[in-house]
Amino acid sequence: MKELRPMPLVTTPNLSAPDDFYEALIDAHRDLSTEESHALNARLVLVLVNHVGDLDVLREALGIARSGSRIQARQGS
Amino acid sequence: MTAAAPLGYDADGARIQSHEFAWKRSADQDAAQPARHRVVVIGAGPVGLTLAIDLAQRGVPVLVLDSDCRLSTGSRAICFAKRTLEIWDRLGVGDAMGAKGVRWNVGRVFFGDAQLYRFDLLPEAGHERPAFINLQQYYAEAFLAVRAAQLANLEIRWKSRVHAIESEDEGEGEGVLLGVDTPAGTYRLRADYVAACDGARSPARALLGLETRGRVFHDRFLIADVRMQADLPAERWFWFDPPFHRHQSVLLHRQPDGVWRIDFQLGWDADPDEEKKPERIRPRVDAMMRQALGHEVPFELEWASVYTFACRRMERFRHGRVFFAGDAAHGVSPFGARGANSGVQDADNLGWKLAAVIAGHAGAALLETYGAEREPAADENLLNSTRSTDFITPKSEISRMFRDAVLTLSRDLPFARTLVNSGRLSVPATLHASPLNTPDVEGESFEGRMAPGAPASDAPLVRLDGRASWLLRELGARFTLLLAAGGGSEALASGLAGPAGEALPLRILVVHGADPGGEGKAPEGESKAAEGEGNAPGGEGKAPEGAGAPPQRERPGVTADGARAPGSVEAVHVRDAQGFVGRRYDLQCGGAVLIRPDLHVCARWRAPDVDAIRAAIRRALASP
C-alpha cells in the first residue's frame, strides 16, 4: 500500500456559512444560459485559483475535482 | 545575371533581395584527394553565418556551403531578441543590426474590439540593447554576409549543395566526407567537424537518415508584409478574436523601411494558394487598419506567405562529428520569436567549444555538452511555444471557454494577465543543469538571477579612460572573471596571471565601486600590462584589420582568441559607476563571477581563490 503523504489542500469543513454560500452560488447563476453559466464558472475558478496560488494545492484540487473523490484522486496520483 | 558589386552595410532591401552571390570554381574541385577542412558549416542563414563568423574570429578556418546564391526571400524571421543582438555585438555586427532595426519593448493585447492591457518586456534601465528589434531576415543575413566577407579565414561557397554525408570513424582518419554538387559537377571534401544549419527541412538530416519528432499543428497563418505610412507606434499588437477577423488571432509588427508585418490566423481549412492572392489580402488589411487607426491607409503589398508549423526536435543534436543547430535541430511555432533566436544561441554555444577543442584546450567531452545544454534549451522553447499555441488556438470548447475567461478578467485584474499567452517572447535559456557549471560554495547565498548557467546580464559601466561602456562589451571572447575590487582581489589577479597560469585563457575585469576617490580606486597604468595581447597581429587565418572594418565601436577582445592564446591573462579595470554590476551579479568586495566565452555565468564566489577559479575553468572546459 502506498504511503500517504500529507496533503496541503484543506478538505475539512472550512466554510463560515455553508448555506449562505450555496445560496449565493446558485443566485450568481440565476437567469444565465448554460453557456453563460459555464463561462461564469470558468471565471470563478480562475479568480479562486489566484487566491489559492500554491500549485501543489491546486493540483490536488484538480485531481479531486476530476474524480469526484479524494480517495480516487489519491489512487490516481 | 552577373553578380553585382559586393554588399555593404548600407545596402537597401531591394538591393539585398536581388543580390546574387557568385559561384566560383574551387581548387578543391580539381584536387586528387578530397581537401580537408577544419569545420564545414552547411547553410548560410542567420544561424550558419553566426557560427561561421564566431569560429573565424576565434581563429578557426571555416568553410560555409550553401545550396543557393541568394539571401532570404521575404522578411521571414523579423524579431531578433536582446540576446541575439548581444551575441552579434561580439561578432561585430550588432551595431549595423541595431541601427537598421526597429527597437521595441512594448506589446499590447486586444480582445474583441477592446485593448486589454500593455506590457513592457524590458521594464528596467541599465541595458544597452532593447528587448527586441524588428528587422527583415534578409537584412540580418546580409549584414552577417558583409561581416563574413571581411574574415580571411572564412569562405562561403554558394550554389554548393551537399548531396552526401559520410562519417569516417576509423583511427587517425576520423572525419566527415561530404559530396558537394555545383554548377560544374560534383566533388568531395573532408571535414573534421560539420555543423548542419540548413533549416527546417534540413537535407543534411535526411542524408543521415535522422528524424525530428513532435507535434504538427493543424492551423494555417497568413503573413502579409505591407508598405504604408501608418501612424502607429513601434509595438507588438496582438488581437484575440477581433471584430475584423472573427474567431482568429491577428499579430501586427513594425519593420524598417515603412513595412508592417501582419500575421492572420486562417484556420486549417483555408486554401493557401487562394489566401496569398492580393485581392484576398487587401480587404483583410483594410479591415484591420479601420480597427487600428480608424481609417484605411493606402499600402503596397510587399510579400505574402501562408505557413503552417510544427513543434518538434531531433532527439540528439550531435551525431559524431556532425552537429545540428537552429531549425534543422528544432522547430517551434512563431509565437514568441523563438526560432531564429534559439538558433543563434545554438551557434553561440557551439562556436567556442569547437574552437577550444580544435586548439587543444579541451577534449572531445566538451563537444558532448553542446547537446547536453542545447537539447534542454530546445525543450524549454518547445514547451513555451506549444503552450502559446494552445492558448491562441484552443483545441476544445472548454479550452476556449477558459481562454476567453482569462482574457475577460485580464482587462481589470492584473493576475489574469499572467495567464494570457500570446507568445512567451524569447529569452535565452538558463543552463541550470549544465555539467559545466560549478555549484555555489556551500553556505554562500546570492541575490539576483546570475546563478551558474544564467545568461550574463548587461550593465552600464565606465572604463578607466572615462568612457561609458557596457559590461557585455567589456567581456572578452575568452573566459572573463568579474572580480570586485577590494579584499584580496589584487593578490588574486596577480596569482591568476602568475607562472602557474599556463593554460588559462582568461580576462579579468576588476570592478571598482562607484566612488572615484575611494579605496576602490583603480590603479593607473597597470591595466595595460596584458591588454591587447589577444589582438597581436599575425596568426593563421587571422582577419585583416582596418580595411572594411564594420561600423562597430572598438570592442576589447573581439578578435582575441582565448583558445589560441594560452596563458594570456589580461586584467582590465572598470568602474561600476551606477552600481548595476554589483546589484545584478550580487558582486561584493572581493567576490568574483566567472563568465564563459558564450556569455553564460558558470561559477561565482564570495571569497574566491586561484585554485577554485582554475578548477571552475577546467570544469567549464569539461577537462577536470
Side-chain angles (χ1 to χ4, degrees):
Chain A
M1 192 174 154
K2 229 188 319 185
E3 198 182 327
L4 295 179
R5 57 199 163 77
M7 305 295 260
L9 181 74
V10 176
T11 50
T12 51
N14 191 38
L15 285 165
S16 56
D19 290 347
D20 289 352
F21 160 71
Y22 195 79
E23 186 186 358
L25 177 66
I26 302 304
D27 265 2
H29 284 271
R30 191 157 24 89
D31 303 330
L32 297 184
S33 67
T34 303
E35 194 182 346
E36 288 166 337
S37 272
H38 284 323
L40 182 155
N41 282 339
R43 293 192 293 269
L44 181 65
V45 165
L46 293 168
V47 169
L48 295 177
V49 151
N50 182 63
H51 182 83
V52 172
D54 186 288
L55 188 59
D56 287 339
V57 176
L58 295 170
R59 282 194 201 282
E60 198 188 340
L62 286 169
I64 291 175
R66 172 134 186 140
S67 68
S69 148
R70 179 163 184 162
I71 295 157
Q72 281 179 31
R74 281 192 172 201
Q75 285 168 345
S77 70
Chain B
M1 172 180 161
T2 50
L7 290 175
Y9 286 115
D10 56 349
D12 65 21
R15 165 92 171 79
I16 291 167
Q17 289 274 269
S18 66
H19 186 77
E20 284 190 17
F21 291 92
W23 171 77
K24 279 184 296 217
R25 189 182 181 91
S26 161
D28 288 357
Q29 197 146 359
D30 304 309
Q33 291 295 319
R36 183 151 200 126
H37 292 264
R38 277 292 196 196
V39 180
V40 170
V41 173
I42 306 174
V47 178
L49 288 174
T50 295
L51 176 60
I53 293 167
D54 194 22
L55 284 167
Q57 287 192 170
R58 292 180 190 282
V60 178
V62 56
L63 171 65
V64 181
L65 301 173
D66 193 277
S67 59
D68 198 13
C69 63
R70 285 173 176 274
L71 300 173
S72 165
T73 303
S75 60
R76 299 173 65 189
I78 57 162
C79 297
F80 294 101
K82 183 173 191 293
R83 181 62 170 187
T84 297
L85 291 172
E86 290 162 354
I87 292 166
W88 284 343
D89 275 333
R90 205 186 64 231
L91 304 188
V93 289
D95 286 348
M97 305 279 186
K100 184 70 195 177
V102 174
R103 295 168 65 99
W104 66 274
N105 294 310
V106 170
R108 289 177 198 271
V109 177
F110 303 86
F111 181 40
D113 57 5
Q115 177 180 320
L116 295 178
Y117 64 95
R118 73 190 280 286
F119 58 87
D120 190 338
L121 292 167
L122 191 60
E124 58 181 32
H127 294 272
E128 180 181 12
R129 294 301 182 187
F132 279 92
I133 61 165
N134 286 349
L135 183 68
Q136 290 89 337
Q137 184 171 334
Y138 51 76
Y139 277 116
E141 291 182 4
F143 296 161
L144 288 165
V146 171
R147 175 65 185 133
Q150 295 167 344
L151 297 164
N153 55 352
L154 193 168
E155 183 191 356
I156 304 178
R157 293 183 192 165
W158 304 96
K159 291 188 182 176
S160 299
R161 186 177 63 85
V162 174
H163 69 85
I165 303 178
E166 194 186 319
S167 287
E168 301 178 306
D169 289 335
E170 291 172 23
E172 293 302 300
E174 230 180 322
V176 184
L177 188 63
L178 298 173
V180 185
D181 195 8
T182 76
T186 64
Y187 65 100
R188 297 192 301 169
L189 49 80
R190 282 203 169 85
D192 290 350
Y193 299 99
V194 171
C197 310
D198 53 349
R201 282 185 280 272
S202 181
R205 196 177 61 216
L207 287 170
L208 289 171
L210 299 169
E211 288 183 326
T212 171
R213 290 209 187 92
R215 236 173 108 186
V216 178
F217 289 85
H218 287 244
D219 206 346
R220 294 185 202 279
F221 295 80
L222 165 71
I223 287 178
D225 275 0
V226 302
R227 191 184 290 269
M228 61 184 174
Q229 296 286 321
D231 190 18
L232 292 169
E235 298 175 347
R236 176 189 197 261
W237 285 16
F238 194 101
W239 282 273
F240 290 98
D241 195 8
F244 60 88
H245 195 57
R246 282 320 318 214
H247 309 302
Q248 309 281 12
S249 63
V250 178
L251 176 59
L252 175 70
H253 271 289
R254 181 175 179 171
Q255 301 177 54
D257 302 338
V259 176
W260 299 78
R261 155 76 62 88
I262 313 163
D263 197 322
F264 294 96
Q265 185 188 13
L266 296 176
W268 184 237
D269 296 332
D271 179 335
D273 294 323
E274 280 300 305
E275 296 295 347
K276 260 183 281 193
K277 291 181 176 167
E279 62 266 31
R280 295 277 295 176
I281 296 172
R282 292 195 161 273
R284 293 193 189 284
V285 175
D286 283 336
M288 191 207 74
M289 292 311 294
R290 285 196 298 271
Q291 177 79 31
L293 265 186
H295 56 85
E296 291 172 19
V297 172
F299 64 87
E300 255 175 84
L301 190 58
E302 282 257 316
W303 180 66
S305 170
V306 173
Y307 67 88
T308 58
F309 59 82
C311 291
R312 58 186 168 198
R313 75 163 171 92
M314 296 176 73
E315 194 182 341
R316 285 181 296 122
F317 295 173
R318 176 186 172 214
H319 290 266
R321 290 166 169 267
V322 182
F323 300 83
F324 289 84
D327 286 353
H330 44 76
V332 292
S333 85
F335 302 104
R338 288 170 180 266
N341 287 305
S342 65
V344 169
Q345 291 169 45
D346 290 342
D348 189 42
N349 190 285
L350 184 54
W352 72 273
K353 291 177 180 175
L354 276 174
V357 171
I358 287 168
H361 295 302
L366 183 61
L367 300 177
E368 279 295 336
T369 68
Y370 170 67
E373 293 189 331
R374 293 310 299 171
E375 287 155 12
D379 285 340
E380 184 180 310
N381 286 314
L382 281 162
L383 180 67
N384 277 294
S385 163
T386 304
R387 285 173 168 175
S388 298
T389 306
D390 284 340
F391 191 89
I392 291 164
T393 316
K395 304 296 185 292
S396 68
E397 240 175 88
I398 192 67
S399 172
R400 177 173 292 272
M401 184 159 284
F402 272 110
R403 199 280 303 269
D404 289 353
V406 165
L407 292 172
T408 303
L409 293 172
S410 71
R411 193 168 179 178
D412 297 330
L413 297 163
F415 90 82
R417 294 173 194 172
T418 65
L419 296 170
V420 174
N421 192 341
S422 71
R424 298 280 180 242
L425 288 148
S426 175
V427 286
T430 293
L431 310 170
H432 291 291
S434 170
L436 306 186
N437 293 341
T438 296
D440 290 337
V441 175
E442 218 166 305
E444 290 185 356
S445 68
F446 296 83
E447 298 289 316
R449 297 193 299 269
M450 292 298 106
S457 173
D458 205 0
L461 46 75
V462 178
R463 294 156 53 114
L464 266 202
D465 60 12
R467 266 187 22 218
S469 186
W470 297 94
L471 176 63
L472 296 185
R473 296 257 188 191
E474 297 298 326
L475 301 179
R478 54 181 68 189
F479 282 90
T480 302
L481 186 73
L482 298 186
L483 182 58
S489 68
E490 273 180 51
L492 189 70
S494 47
L496 284 164
E502 67 288 329
L504 277 184
L506 182 67
R507 177 180 174 90
I508 302 173
L509 209 58
V510 184
V511 181
H512 296 261
D515 173 15
E519 58 176 330
K521 186 171 161 68
E524 304 290 334
E526 183 192 313
S527 70
K528 291 290 170 206
E531 190 175 11
E533 260 187 51
N535 289 323
E540 57 162 347
K542 175 103 181 179
E545 302 280 327
Q552 181 89 4
R553 273 180 277 150
E554 181 212 344
R555 182 188 163 78
V558 76
T559 55
D561 168 37
R564 278 187 310 130
S568 68
V569 175
E570 54 176 4
V572 177
H573 293 259
V574 294
R575 191 170 301 289
D576 184 19
Q578 300 170 62
F580 278 104
V581 180
R583 282 196 299 279
R584 287 193 177 144
Y585 288 81
D586 192 6
L587 193 59
Q588 297 169 11
C589 177
V593 177
L594 184 64
I595 299 175
R596 303 180 351 179
D598 59 357
L599 314 184
H600 278 268
V601 173
C602 61
R604 56 184 175 176
W605 302 269
R606 290 282 179 221
D609 60 58
V610 170
D611 289 343
I613 292 165
R614 287 186 176 149
I617 294 173
R618 282 196 303 274
R619 186 178 180 127
L621 288 166
S623 313

